[in-house]
Amino acid sequence: PRGRQFASEWHSNVVSPPHGSRFAPLTSDQQVFNHMMRKPGWPGVQADQGAAVMREAWGGRVTLAALPMALFMNGHGYFVQRAHLRLRVAPYAAHATYSLDNHDGVAKRQRFRESGLWLADPPSYAQGKFLALAPSSPPRVQDRLPPYA
């Protein structure tokens, strides 16, 4: 119930923040979330590897905890570092962390598409004519490249 209450209040503060409230000038759902969770001077949730640390938030109405990074990856770890492949794990979630795309989600959706994690496009999205690029190098150039390149 408290999680639902939080989600409902979060939604209200994003969609129609009370005039003059601390949420009114904020421009993203992440900023509203942060303001709802944090009090001035709040240190956040940090944990040593393997430790379970929990903190009360939202005036003591919810509890936050650190999740294992290998199973709940941030965008950089999943999309850029490809840590799940190196660690040989199947994460429960990959977070679409901040990207410079005018907050409309275009870049985030594209990251998920490129990784095969976005399945919400209508069939019409893939219809039409497209240019495909298959980059390759001539054999004599490939012979000079290190094997890991």
Side-chain angles (χ1 to χ4, degrees):
R2 291 185 294 174
R4 287 184 184 165
Q5 290 171 349
F6 172 79
S8 177
E9 188 172 323
W10 181 23
H11 179 262
S12 295
N13 286 329
V14 170
V15 174
S16 55
H19 182 71
S21 73
R22 65 186 176 132
F23 305 110
L26 305 177
T27 61
S28 73
D29 59 343
Q30 185 69 57
Q31 291 175 337
V32 172
F33 180 90
N34 292 345
H35 275 70
M36 287 177 69
M37 288 290 124
R38 296 180 179 152
K39 299 176 188 172
W42 184 68
V45 177
Q46 297 177 352
D48 293 332
Q49 186 172 350
V53 174
M54 293 194 256
R55 300 262 191 278
E56 287 187 348
W58 197 43
R61 294 183 277 179
V62 294
T63 303
L64 299 179
L67 298 170
M69 287 287 289
L71 298 178
F72 298 88
M73 293 196 165
N74 61 39
H76 188 79
Y78 189 88
F79 299 110
V80 178
Q81 294 178 325
R82 317 278 297 156
H84 60 293
L85 299 176
R86 215 173 47 252
L87 296 171
R88 295 186 173 106
V89 297
Y92 291 116
H95 181 233
T97 47
Y98 184 78
S99 62
L100 299 172
D101 68 347
N102 298 321
H103 299 294
D104 61 4
V106 173
K108 291 180 181 186
R109 280 193 299 277
Q110 189 59 27
R111 276 186 147 182
F112 280 104
R113 273 188 198 107
E114 290 171 354
S115 295
L117 299 176
W118 185 261
L119 304 175
D121 287 322
S124 61
Y125 180 81
Q127 294 175 350
K129 295 182 179 183
F130 300 93
L131 175 65
L133 173 66
S136 63
S137 302
R140 63 178 198 185
V141 173
Q142 290 179 12
D143 291 342
R144 293 179 177 229
L145 294 174
Y148 54 84

